[in-house]
Amino acid sequence: MKPAAPHSLLLSSLCLALCCLGGARGSRRSGNHEWKKLIMVHHWPVTVCKEVENDCRDPPDYWTIHGLWPDKAEECNGSWPFNLEEIKDLLPKMKMYWPDVIHPLNHSHFWKHEWEKHGTCAAQVDALNSQKKYFGGSLDLYQGLALNSMLQKLGIKPSINYYQISDIKDALAGIYGVIPKVQCLPPKQGEEVQTIGQIELCFTKELRLRNCTEPGEPGGAGGAGGPGLEVCEDGPAFYPPPQQTAP
Ligand code: 5GP
């Protein structure tokens, strides 16, 4: 075989370098949109309000949906705009279970953001390949998981007493049969412990429950879904009760 001419070698090395660079920088935005699992992200509205230091009024006192996120892909189709009309039948449930906790007077910006960033990637699977199916399917998964009633049953309620993160994770794993991921706000200055913010439960592309992390694997970095959220440290955590606002 004829050896490659030096200039073509140079060209292919350049292409390889550009591809690698593109992969590293753009794997979440463009190019490679391969993903393996779907993450149903529940967030605790009281903590969302604390995280953004916004004066939310009366956040819901139940876990709501943050999003349904493919694990390794974001913004997969910029030419598929969000259309509120397509989910109009779902609006009562969307407002109840998938509210914009930060801007409760206008939920649709949040839904648009979730569709563009995550839904356009989730739409690779037939069961989620339209806006109606993505939002409707997410609501079905959320209602099927029934996290709020499971936590109640387990006796895990917002409290001024702290919980051990391992107790919460073990209790959830016992109920769902898979390893969840729990995320917290690290303690701020003057605070003793981290604050519970998100609970993630993961699904296969066939929408069957699966582990979010494998046994022995640390909580897993990335995808925390908020400026201050991190995988919770083992140890005590605060599950903050809703604050009562004056009537
Ligand atoms: P992602 O962009 O991956 O969907 O989620 C992360 C972002 O969502 C963070 O910037 C976080 O502050 C924001 N976020 C979390 N909960 C809410 C919410 O209820 N409403 C809005 N508008 N943003 C939220």
Side-chain angles (χ1 to χ4, degrees):
M1 199 197 291
K2 229 171 107 191
H7 70 273
S8 64
L9 262 180
L10 194 69
L11 200 63
S12 30
S13 322
L14 192 65
C15 285
L16 194 66
L18 283 176
C19 285
C20 291
L21 201 66
R25 285 173 54 210
S27 59
R28 306 198 72 163
R29 289 182 165 267
S30 56
N32 179 12
H33 294 305
E34 278 291 307
W35 54 270
K36 285 208 172 84
K37 62 184 178 225
L38 280 166
I39 311 170
M40 168 49 76
V41 186
H42 303 78
H43 59 187
W44 179 240
V46 179
T47 306
V48 176
C49 293
K50 178 178 178 199
E51 182 184 2
V52 296
E53 290 175 358
N54 146 301
D55 54 342
C56 304
R57 257 191 92 83
D58 300 325
D61 59 358
Y62 48 90
W63 290 81
T64 57
I65 303 174
H66 184 168
L68 182 69
W69 303 348
D71 64 337
K72 286 195 172 92
E74 287 178 358
E75 294 169 14
C76 294
N77 187 348
S79 54
W80 196 353
F82 175 70
N83 179 3
L84 191 61
E85 220 11 58
E86 279 193 47
I87 58 166
K88 65 176 189 314
D89 298 351
L90 304 174
L91 289 183
K93 279 191 180 178
M94 289 292 293
K95 288 179 189 162
M96 176 89 135
Y97 302 131
W98 200 333
D100 184 331
V101 176
I102 302 171
H103 308 110
L105 298 181
N106 183 356
H107 303 286
S108 61
H109 272 104
F110 181 43
W111 301 335
K112 174 178 185 293
H113 168 81
E114 291 298 309
W115 166 253
E116 290 171 353
K117 187 166 173 183
H118 306 288
T120 53
C121 302
Q124 281 170 16
V125 299
D126 289 350
L128 305 170
N129 69 1
S130 70
Q131 291 178 45
K132 186 143 193 199
K133 286 201 223 170
Y134 172 69
F135 288 104
S138 302
L139 289 166
D140 289 345
L141 292 178
Y142 168 86
Q143 289 191 281
L145 289 167
L147 178 66
N148 289 288
S149 40
M150 295 304 170
L151 288 170
Q152 285 271 340
K153 259 190 221 156
L154 292 164
I156 302 173
K157 300 176 186 153
S159 168
I160 51 167
N161 299 314
Y162 302 148
Y163 286 91
Q164 289 296 322
I165 284 297
S166 55
D167 290 345
I168 295 183
K169 283 205 293 202
D170 290 350
L172 290 172
I175 290 267
Y176 292 111
V178 290
I179 302 178
K181 193 167 173 187
V182 187
Q183 287 167 333
C184 287
L185 282 180
K188 291 189 183 164
Q189 215 173 10
E191 290 181 342
E192 289 174 351
V193 299
Q194 57 195 340
T195 301
I196 296 173
Q198 292 198 155
I199 293 180
E200 298 184 352
L201 287 155
C202 297
F203 290 87
T204 62
K205 286 190 162 180
E206 292 75 35
L207 305 186
R208 281 196 285 271
L209 271 168
R210 53 156 285 167
N211 292 334
C212 285
T213 55
E214 289 314 318
E217 194 186 328
L229 285 172
E230 291 172 5
V231 172
C232 302
E233 299 280 344
D234 275 338
F238 181 39
Y239 178 10
Q243 271 152 11
Q244 306 296 326
T245 50

